[in-house]
Amino acid sequence: RKIIFEKQWFYLDNAIGHIYGTTFEVTSGGNLQPKQEVEETTTETKEAGTDNRNIVDDGKSQKLTHDDIKALKDKGIKGQEIVQQLIENSTTFRDKTEFAQDKYIKKKKKKYEAVITIVKPSTRILSTMYYAREPGKINHLRYDTLAQMLTLGNVHAGNKMIVMETCAGLVLGAVMERMGGYGSIIQMYPGGGPVRAATSCFGFPKLFFDNLHEFPLSKVDSLLSGTFSTETLPSEPEDNAVVEEESNGLTGKKQASLQETEEDSTTETAMEINETEEQETMDINAEDVEFKKNKEKENKENVREKKQWERRKKLIEAAALLREKNADGLIVASKFHPTPLLLTLLEFVAPSRPFVVYCLYKEPLLECYTKLRERGGVINLKLSETWLRNYQVLPDRSHPKLTMSGGGGYLLSGITVVLDKGKSDASNLEELKMEEPSSKRSKVQDLHC
Amino acid sequence: MSFVEYGDTIKDGDTAIVFLGHESMFPVKVQHGTVTQTKYGVIRHSTDLIGKKYGSKVTCSKGGWVFILHPTPELWTMNLPHRTQILYSTDISIITMMLELKPGSIVCESGTGSGSLSHALIRTVAPTGHLYTVEFHQQRAEKAREEFREHGVEHLVTVTNQDVCKNGFGVSNIADAVFLDIPSPWEAIGHAKSALKAEGGRICSFSPCIEQVQRTCLAMEEYGFTEINTLEILLRVYNVRTISLQIPDLGKAAEDNSSIGFDSSNPSNQGSSCSNLQQGTVQFKSGVPLREMVGHTGYLTFATKS
């Protein structure tokens, strides 16, 4: 199948059989595999200027014209050679400082030497990719914030986690990766069904999905009040359509963004993999639909009934898991207001377990903080944000690259405790908080540890 | 209890976290017949702790009470006895994700130090992964071994007492990831490479100084590591407060003032000292940054072997 990526198109057939991390060069239509490390011959010219006092920007330093370059490209000359030509025909190149020469070559290489690395999907790759490409789809959840969530939530094998997300399934995938198929996850979903477009990009084995449950958010209240019944399922054909539409839109958008952007890095490569997988699932979906259409009416009914029955069975299982009210953690990252979600879903979490809520904005979390305090049953509440700074590290040229702040979102985290009945506790807790324990604490430690 | 598995009730021999109040907690080793002193009085382990649920409120002898929490690597990080400078959860979380750690991963770490990162790594790679940690300080290595045993994770970790720069990690071609927190990481890059699996893996080096980072990056490049990337992560914590700001008196008439006094939901407690004028205040919730925050822990350099 033909795939478009960074203004290039190619077939993936040749990439099969190579290990992850292999770099490919794109030729006209197919993939060819160049060597891992092209020996970086920084050209024979070790001539370089010391400063730019004599370099004049007259627009005439490059002796090759636009048409010349196009001709070179049309001839199918290797990108490396084009770059070499550009250097040789640049009158100012020799006068540039060594560092500037380096920069010049790098820039040209990026443009003319199209290389693509195929890497294995992981939370690292997918979360950086989504943040760069589709931040709106994941509520601008930056990857370092996601990393904090996984740690603060003590996500690990064997847990029974509750996840409520509207991040295309990225958070779910991250939790699944950390749990490695051990334990269980209950995904709470709004609307007709959970969105798992990003989850499918991870390429998890089927086993991982055995203990993945889902439960509609709209049934939570009835579950808590004990009036829950499985008779009234959200109507099925409808939600099928919803899910499909979602993934459809996603793919379409992605393709558009693929063609737009120019950068070339590994994260984008991962995108490719998604693309493939997503299209695959889509194909299956489409086939499924057609398959169904062609069936006789009663057969159709049969299939539908069976599907409905299966869904109901899964729903009952999920409900039973929730009813035990002993989940090992709660992760919330959605477009909804976090307060009602948290106040309700915390009911399902066992005491002494962590919970983490993500929100793009600080204010809803302030309210959530206050409401949780009033409710009680939680301690160690913390509202936080992380800043991430990337660095360029090169000999004599090290400095911060870009500051990322704001956009990464905020986290509210805490630990559940046994909730006692009676109001006095809340005031007690406040009292406890008011005291200044730091000095005393050290004394305590001296005494006892 | 174990650091890698939740338990419901407190048992003899468990490590539990006593939570006293805001940011004030300490670990205890639960033992029959032992007592722990807190500022709220005595906790008797046999009656007050053993058999109780994690997360319960325990009343101490003076009538005060505390919460007993299940240990997690994050709580441990906040409470462990320091033998060295340690890594905190903010750095740990990005390290864990960027090294692509998950159940089953094999990780090499040096130095072990106080075991703050070690516990988090073990938690993540359990139950099928393994941590090989190297500490050249003999006493620290032994102390770490003891802690791992107490915390029920000794089957997931091997502590080796040797110099990683000279002798490496003691394993080769088995690791999915390597983490270095040593003064001269560039001297260990070669060993790190040979510890990583033949098909590749990830590496991370933590250094406080940019000069260390520079040398490390050069060494990584020399050994053929790719995707070299240096970053820094900072945590900002906010205090949630209700703030009230007084409305200035601009000499407007009293009637006007009262109609403006829209948000003065709680006017009694704010210094409305003026006799006649109903002084208005506006209240709002704010996330106030702490007066001081950690400005720098270290640079994290990541790279891939492929």
Side-chain angles (χ1 to χ4, degrees):
Chain A
R1 191 177 37 220
K2 195 157 125 184
I3 278 169
I4 299 165
F5 179 64
E6 299 293 333
K7 295 179 179 168
Q8 306 262 3
W9 59 275
F10 51 88
Y11 295 98
L12 278 177
D13 305 346
N14 287 340
I16 296 169
H18 293 291
I19 61 164
Y20 284 112
T22 309
T23 305
F24 300 91
E25 200 169 10
V26 182
T27 58
S28 46
N31 258 357
L32 136 158
Q33 186 199 7
K35 285 187 94 181
Q36 273 283 20
E37 194 72 36
V38 189
E39 209 37 66
E40 298 275 321
T41 44
T42 337
T43 54
E44 72 295 339
T45 55
K46 269 296 153 214
E47 247 178 276
T50 48
D51 56 39
N52 56 10
R53 74 182 79 184
N54 295 321
I55 297 180
V56 186
D57 187 7
D58 54 2
K60 281 182 258 167
S61 54
Q62 182 53 256
K63 283 185 285 184
L64 289 178
T65 63
H66 229 65
D67 296 333
D68 292 339
I69 296 168
K70 194 163 177 298
L72 285 174
K73 268 162 102 178
D74 288 344
K75 267 190 264 173
I77 285 175
K78 275 187 138 188
Q80 215 177 330
E81 282 158 25
I82 299 181
V83 175
Q84 192 58 43
Q85 294 250 22
L86 285 172
I87 293 169
E88 278 162 18
N89 288 293
S90 167
T91 48
T92 47
F93 186 79
R94 270 155 212 272
D95 299 328
K96 284 178 196 269
T97 62
E98 206 180 309
F99 297 154
Q101 288 183 354
D102 232 25
K103 209 166 156 186
Y104 183 83
I105 294 172
K106 266 196 188 148
K107 239 164 108 181
K108 295 299 168 199
K109 270 194 172 166
K110 206 166 164 183
K111 198 163 169 194
Y112 295 104
E113 291 180 27
V115 291
I116 277 168
T117 309
I118 295 192
V119 297
K120 200 172 181 166
S122 66
T123 304
R124 168 177 76 99
I125 301 281
L126 289 170
S127 57
T128 38
M129 180 202 85
Y130 262 94
Y131 187 73
R133 289 273 170 136
E134 297 279 351
K137 285 261 178 317
I138 56 167
N139 301 302
H140 293 82
L141 170 67
R142 208 205 291 140
Y143 44 97
D144 55 311
T145 314
L146 176 61
Q148 299 297 316
M149 294 179 77
L150 295 169
T151 301
L152 289 172
N154 193 23
V155 179
H156 66 277
N159 269 8
K160 172 176 170 179
M161 295 297 295
I162 300 177
V163 178
M164 164 57 210
E165 65 129 294
T166 57
C167 294
L170 178 71
V171 176
L172 176 71
V175 171
M176 285 171 77
E177 184 184 273
R178 283 294 171 86
M179 289 177 55
Y182 302 92
S184 53
I185 305 169
I186 306 141
Q187 183 186 13
M188 317 298 287
Y189 63 87
V195 179
R196 291 177 185 162
T199 319
S200 65
C201 301
F202 283 84
F204 290 128
K206 207 198 147 284
L207 172 103
F208 279 35
F209 290 91
D210 290 348
N211 288 314
L212 172 61
H213 306 271
E214 61 258 356
F215 191 83
L217 212 49
S218 55
K219 295 271 167 210
V220 167
D221 211 41
S222 64
L223 185 68
L224 278 170
S225 61
T227 57
F228 172 75
S229 84
T230 56
E231 294 310 309
T232 49
L233 273 170
S235 58
E236 194 214 342
E238 235 179 281
D239 41 270
N240 249 0
V242 170
V243 174
E244 224 172 300
E245 214 178 288
E246 282 261 8
S247 59
N248 238 335
L250 193 67
T251 327
K253 260 221 174 151
K254 266 189 196 165
Q255 238 154 6
S257 69
L258 279 180
Q259 285 157 349
E260 270 166 20
T261 24
E262 277 189 39
E263 256 187 312
D264 188 16
S265 81
T266 43
T267 45
E268 271 109 13
T269 322
M271 185 80 173
E272 237 13 85
I273 298 165
N274 307 335
E275 188 84 28
T276 346
E277 269 166 354
E278 228 165 276
Q279 269 171 357
E280 254 159 24
T281 51
M282 288 249 319
D283 287 351
I284 292 163
N285 258 355
E287 265 170 40
D288 220 12
V289 170
E290 253 183 78
F291 180 67
K292 263 201 246 169
K293 268 187 195 160
N294 294 342
K295 283 271 166 183
E296 305 266 331
K297 208 177 184 184
E298 50 180 287
N299 224 339
K300 199 167 155 192
E301 208 91 315
N302 253 347
V303 171
R304 199 168 172 189
E305 227 165 80
K306 203 181 160 203
K307 259 187 125 179
Q308 195 123 4
W309 183 78
E310 261 168 26
R311 273 169 52 94
R312 189 164 299 167
K313 205 179 110 193
K314 282 213 83 172
L315 187 70
I316 293 170
E317 273 174 42
L321 282 172
L322 286 173
R323 260 200 212 101
E324 292 169 1
K325 299 195 171 187
N326 66 350
D328 294 319
L330 171 66
I331 305 263
V332 177
S334 76
K335 60 184 179 195
F336 300 106
H337 198 295
T339 308
L341 280 173
L342 209 62
L343 289 177
T344 310
L345 294 180
L346 273 181
E347 300 272 326
F348 300 115
V349 182
S352 195
R353 298 295 189 271
F355 61 89
V356 199
V357 202
Y358 165 82
C359 191
L360 177 53
Y361 313 101
K362 192 158 60 172
E363 290 73 14
L365 292 179
L366 294 175
E367 190 202 317
C368 200
Y369 182 100
T370 317
K371 285 274 155 48
L372 281 175
R373 265 289 156 72
E374 283 167 19
R375 172 192 180 266
V378 292
I379 53 167
N380 215 28
L381 285 181
K382 200 162 101 185
L383 178 61
S384 65
E385 172 199 15
T386 47
W387 284 7
L388 187 71
R389 208 162 154 106
N390 279 289
Y391 285 82
Q392 165 181 309
V393 181
L394 287 169
D396 300 322
R397 279 162 294 168
S398 299
H399 59 77
K401 262 192 224 163
L402 65 152
T403 314
M404 287 165 61
S405 64
Y410 299 86
L411 293 178
L412 178 63
S413 62
I415 303 171
T416 56
V417 288
V418 172
L419 177 65
D420 2 35
K421 322 290 169 217
K423 271 225 105 182
S424 61
D425 305 306
S427 56
N428 253 344
L429 190 74
E430 281 315 306
E431 202 180 289
L432 200 68
K433 303 262 168 196
M434 297 308 265
E435 287 180 51
E436 283 278 275
S438 51
S439 59
K440 282 181 185 170
R441 177 197 168 197
S442 51
K443 217 193 307 181
V444 170
Q445 276 186 323
D446 286 346
L447 277 173
H448 244 271
C449 292
Chain B
M1 154 325 295
S2 147
F3 271 68
V4 295
E5 211 176 341
Y6 280 118
D8 279 337
T9 52
I10 305 164
K11 294 188 199 69
D12 191 23
D14 280 5
T15 299
I17 308 289
V18 179
F19 184 88
L20 290 160
H22 191 63
E23 299 273 298
S24 167
M25 44 189 152
F26 61 89
V28 283
K29 194 167 159 46
V30 180
Q31 276 172 316
H32 267 297
T34 317
V35 293
T36 299
Q37 298 284 345
T38 74
K39 61 175 170 169
Y40 301 118
V42 176
I43 303 171
R44 279 169 231 287
H45 291 200
S46 310
T47 52
D48 294 339
L49 298 182
I50 295 171
K52 287 254 180 82
K53 264 189 131 179
Y54 277 108
S56 7
K57 186 195 270 188
V58 172
T59 311
C60 307
S61 61
K62 284 186 202 157
W65 40 262
V66 297
F67 284 107
I68 305 296
L69 299 179
H70 197 288
T72 65
E74 287 60 55
L75 287 173
W76 182 247
T77 291
M78 287 188 258
N79 294 291
L80 57 82
H82 282 222
R83 301 182 283 274
T84 56
Q85 182 67 267
I86 64 162
L87 278 166
Y88 289 93
S89 298
T90 315
D91 286 308
I92 289 173
S93 58
I94 195 96
I95 291 166
T96 313
M97 184 165 98
M98 290 303 192
L99 287 181
E100 303 184 344
L101 300 183
K102 55 192 178 213
S105 297
I106 308 286
V107 194
C108 291
E109 174 204 29
S110 187
T112 314
S114 306
S116 169
L117 177 70
S118 313
H119 280 83
L121 295 175
I122 292 167
R123 176 264 316 272
T124 306
V125 305
T128 47
H130 201 86
L131 171 68
Y132 294 90
T133 181
V134 177
E135 170 62 57
F136 74 153
H137 192 286
Q138 198 198 337
Q139 202 188 348
R140 280 184 214 148
E142 267 162 30
K143 193 77 195 136
R145 273 193 204 107
E146 193 184 314
E147 269 174 14
F148 294 139
R149 200 161 41 242
E150 271 182 24
H151 295 162
V153 295
E154 59 185 315
H155 57 293
L156 295 163
V157 54
T158 308
V159 185
T160 312
N161 177 211
Q162 63 186 27
D163 184 350
V164 73
C165 296
K166 290 204 186 82
N167 312 104
F169 291 93
V171 292
S172 58
N173 292 325
I174 64 162
D176 296 290
V178 171
F179 177 81
L180 295 170
D181 177 10
I182 50 174
S184 52
W186 56 90
E187 289 175 26
I189 298 294
H191 293 298
K193 194 182 180 185
S194 59
L196 285 166
K197 280 178 179 162
E199 60 262 42
R202 294 276 293 164
I203 185 171
C204 173
S205 168
F206 175 93
S207 302
C209 307
I210 197 77
E211 290 82 2
Q212 292 170 302
V213 174
Q214 201 127 58
R215 296 181 74 165
T216 309
C217 284
L218 284 174
M220 282 176 174
E221 218 164 297
E222 194 183 311
Y223 280 97
F225 282 93
T226 55
E227 257 192 283
I228 301 170
N229 183 23
T230 301
L231 56 85
E232 186 186 22
I233 185 165
L234 292 175
L235 181 73
R236 266 176 93 81
V237 179
Y238 297 93
N239 279 328
V240 179
R241 291 232 189 90
T242 306
I243 312 272
S244 33
L245 293 180
Q246 270 189 12
I247 307 255
D249 178 13
L250 297 172
K252 293 199 177 162
E255 308 95 77
D256 275 5
N257 220 345
S258 61
S259 68
I260 297 172
F262 37 85
D263 275 348
S264 50
S265 45
N266 205 356
S268 57
N269 62 349
Q270 306 308 326
S272 44
S273 52
C274 291
S275 46
N276 280 358
L277 261 168
Q278 175 81 19
Q279 195 102 28
T281 60
V282 177
Q283 285 200 344
F284 60 93
K285 286 247 178 261
S286 177
V288 187
L290 307 189
R291 197 138 36 103
E292 258 184 5
M293 62 174 266
V294 176
H296 180 67
T297 52
Y299 301 104
L300 290 163
T301 302
F302 295 93
T304 304
K305 174 195 176 183
S306 56

